Amino acid sequence: MTANLTAPVTPKSSPASAPPRPANSARVRKVVYSALLTALCLLVLVPFVWMISSSLKHDNQVFTVPTQWIPREFVWSNYADIWSQIPMLAYLRNSAFLAITISFLQVITGSFAAYGFAKLRFPGRDWLFVAYLATIAVPWQAYMIPQYLIMEKIGLVNTHLSIILLQAFGAFGVFLMRQYYQSIPDELIEAARIDGLSEYRIWWRIMLPLSRPAIASLGLLTFVSTWNDYMGPFIYLTSNELWTVQLGLRSFVGQYDAAYAMIMTGSVISVLPVVLVFLLGQRQFIQGIATSGLKG
Amino acid sequence: MTMTTEPALRKRRPPEPTAHPPRRSLRPILVGWSFILPNFLGFALLTLVPMVFGLALSFMDWSPWGDPEWVGFDNFERMFRNSTFWIALWNTTYYAAGHIPLTIAVSLGLALLLNRTLAGLGFFRTAFFLPYVTSLVAVAVVWNMLFNPTSGPVNQFLQFVGVTDPPGWTSSTAWAMPAVIVASVWRDMGYYMVLFLAGLQTIPTELYEAARVDGANAWQRFWNITLPGLRPTTFFVLIMCTVASFKVFDLIVVMTDGGPGRATKVLSQLIYEEGIREGRFGLASAISLVLFVLVAGFTVIQFLLQRRQENR
């Protein structure tokens, strides 16, 4: 496609013949764009501002007419009190444990399988990969009931292991890693084979170190989606001590729906770790999404 | 796209190993499978098997207390006679019809705005992306507060601009779904924006320069260069967004819990209620099958449309 489209492009000398546009209008346009973006940006950030500002108020000051965007009095004590109001620390620990374990397993099993799909030839490979791909488009809800029954039969309902098994072997990780591995030249692997390296060592010594950016993006994507998942833990985890931040916060909202300030404090705390992880690994994160969308 | 580039690549390369007669050796098969196996075991047991099992389950009567029994189309009959099923089907379609076009329009718009050199670009991208990494319960709770009918900022703003009787949002049967859609578009736009940005980067800038030389205005450039160039991305985004829309659950459960009444009850919520809460596994699986057929149908239609446009 690109070959056809680039053909009619006029030679490089032509831009000189373009109608000269005054530099002024370009500058004006840039200012207008920046203003528009800033306005949109502020609009998009309103919920965050509300969340943070409400978390620093007394309950009865959250809903006022007109809204106070900056609290009159900063109630920092909300951030000290929340830990005794709900077992926030335990929830955070559960969420972190699940998110880290699942991300680790996704990366390991995903990259291992991706090497098989991308760099090895064996009968049934392509057929199997199509099966992997097809399941990405099947909504989880379409098979969550039988999945639940299987988990119940093997006695894993209401354990963290159920959530780990549910999310650690997704097709998405394999797909994302395979996309990246295909960009690594076959010649490199051929050379390693001639040098006598086994396939396993090629994966460990060459592919893993080379695919650090892909590993980072898959790890971050998985971490964030596991941390923010609600439905999986909602269905599988019934005991309070196993709950994730999402479940804990939701139950807090249900029980004390007028504790507006404290609810917002909890929300800020639930968002903080994942925003931090995102800001630290922003480039990898966005690259991961971008490459998973660019189907070659 | 690969279709056109691959033959060209192949010509340049030395003959492929496949040209040799295939060696009948077990080793490559075993090595190949050994790489896929750790992931495949989990994937097969917890994704493939349940998918097939679920299909069978929809023709069975099975509760936590009794043995499974083959009942043919009984579950489907019960489902079609259940008014909540029809409401949930309608609500799911309503949500998708609002969420898909709005999300695509907003995220494409943002991507177009951000696809240029501009001071503070990184900051803007981060800001628009931030909602996507925000935890879902926090999103739902904050939007519920923003939509508070009496003293929420949304209605205060509406009154300020002259709307005398602003909607009750999540407390009103007519406005609950639009409220959920607004919150969901806010959350998802950053994700699809990144996909569109990646797609925009694949369009050669020479095309725009050439169009400018030919005197094409901004709209013509968008219509004749940007949109066709984005076609693979749009296709992918459309499919991902469709799947995501039809399976919506989290946001609705936390924001409205399907209410008020049954105004925002969706299919996946019904599957959860009938299957896991009430233990009607067969009926829930029948509803799952409807959800699957709906998503698969949309995907296939989009795939066919895409193919027809490409062949043109």
Side-chain angles (χ1 to χ4, degrees), chain A residues 1-2 5-6 9-10 12 14-15 17-19 21 30 33-34 36-38 40-41 43-48 50-51 62-67 69 109-110 112-113 115-117 120-123 125 128 131-132 135-153 165-166 168-171 174 186 199-200 203 224 227-231 234-235 246 249-250 253 260 263-264 267 270-271 274-275 278-279 282 285-286 289-290 292-296, chain B residues 1-2 4-5 13 16-18 28-36 38-40 42-43 45-51 53-54 57 62 110 113-114 116-119 122-138 141-143 145-146 148 150-153 156 186-187 189 191 194-195 198-199 202 204 206-207 209-210 212-213 228-229 232-233 235-236 239-240 243 247-250 253-254 257 268 271-272 275-276 281 284-285 288 291-292 295 299 310:
Chain A
M1 204 168 96
T2 34
L5 286 177
T6 41
V9 170
T10 37
K12 274 273 176 274
S14 67
S17 63
R21 280 191 298 123
K30 225 164 203 175
Y33 270 124
S34 301
L36 182 66
L37 275 175
T38 311
L40 278 175
C41 207
L43 194 70
V44 164
L45 292 179
V46 160
F48 291 104
W50 168 270
M51 183 158 76
V62 172
F63 287 113
T64 52
V65 182
T67 303
W69 291 100
T109 69
F112 202 58
Y115 181 72
F117 279 125
L120 297 172
R121 280 169 192 279
F122 57 93
R125 181 192 75 168
L128 194 64
Y132 264 84
T135 57
I136 293 182
V138 178
W140 180 51
Q141 282 82 349
Y143 54 94
M144 76 180 181
I145 300 289
Q147 202 177 41
Y148 184 84
L149 289 174
I150 293 171
M151 287 292 204
E152 202 177 36
K153 274 279 173 296
L165 288 177
L166 225 60
F169 304 102
V174 177
D186 285 343
E199 298 295 339
Y200 306 102
W203 171 75
V224 170
W227 185 279
N228 289 339
D229 182 31
Y230 180 74
M231 198 174 186
F234 176 71
I235 288 172
Q246 309 298 325
L249 194 62
R250 168 73 176 122
V253 175
Y260 306 116
I263 287 169
M264 286 297 100
S267 299
S270 81
V271 170
V274 76
V275 166
F278 163 66
L279 289 179
Q282 202 184 13
F285 194 90
I286 288 188
I289 292 175
S292 69
L294 284 177
K295 304 217 287 177
Chain B
M1 239 166 151
T2 30
T4 50
T5 51
R13 276 191 195 162
E16 291 268 319
T18 43
I29 304 180
L30 285 180
V31 172
W33 270 92
S34 74
F35 271 97
I36 288 157
N39 188 283
F40 182 72
F43 172 73
L45 286 177
L46 291 158
T47 303
L48 289 181
V49 169
M51 276 180 189
F53 179 25
L57 204 54
W62 194 1
L110 288 178
L113 277 177
L114 289 177
R116 59 189 75 234
T117 47
L118 203 74
F123 172 77
F124 287 127
R125 283 187 190 174
T126 309
F128 291 128
F129 193 78
L130 214 50
Y132 180 70
V133 294
T134 307
S135 76
L136 191 115
V137 175
V141 175
V142 169
W143 277 97
M145 287 187 166
L146 293 175
N148 186 301
T150 48
S151 40
Q156 278 189 44
W186 176 81
R187 182 181 144 86
M189 61 189 186
Y191 179 78
V194 171
L195 289 178
T202 63
E206 297 87 43
L207 286 183
E209 280 159 25
R212 271 213 192 90
V213 172
T233 313
F235 173 64
F236 182 73
I239 299 238
M240 295 314 273
V243 178
K247 68 177 191 187
V248 62
F249 177 89
D250 307 15
V253 166
V254 186
D257 200 18
S268 48
I271 296 170
Y272 161 75
I276 286 158
F281 303 138
S285 294
S288 303
L291 183 69
F292 170 72
V295 172
T299 312
E310 261 188 3

Side-chain angles (χ1 to χ4, degrees), chain A residues 150-164:
Chain A
I150 293 171
M151 287 292 204
E152 202 177 36
K153 274 279 173 296
I154 52 180
L156 289 180
V157 169
N158 200 27
T159 64
H160 278 163
L161 191 56
S162 63
I163 302 293
I164 293 173

Side-chain angles (χ1 to χ4, degrees), chain A residues 47-69:
Chain A
F48 291 104
V49 176
W50 168 270
M51 183 158 76
I52 294 166
S53 119
S54 304
S55 75
L56 292 168
K57 291 177 181 174
H58 291 294
D59 285 337
N60 58 4
Q61 289 170 341
V62 172
F63 287 113
T64 52
V65 182
T67 303
Q68 289 169 26
W69 291 100

Side-chain angles (χ1 to χ4, degrees), chain B residues 195-234:
Chain B
L195 289 178
F196 276 126
L197 273 171
L200 285 173
Q201 245 114 75
T202 63
I203 303 176
T205 45
E206 297 87 43
L207 286 183
Y208 290 102
E209 280 159 25
R212 271 213 192 90
V213 172
D214 293 344
N217 64 28
W219 175 252
Q220 286 167 328
R221 272 176 276 145
F222 173 73
W223 194 251
N224 295 314
I225 301 174
T226 312
L227 272 190
L230 275 181
R231 199 170 285 148
T233 313
T234 318

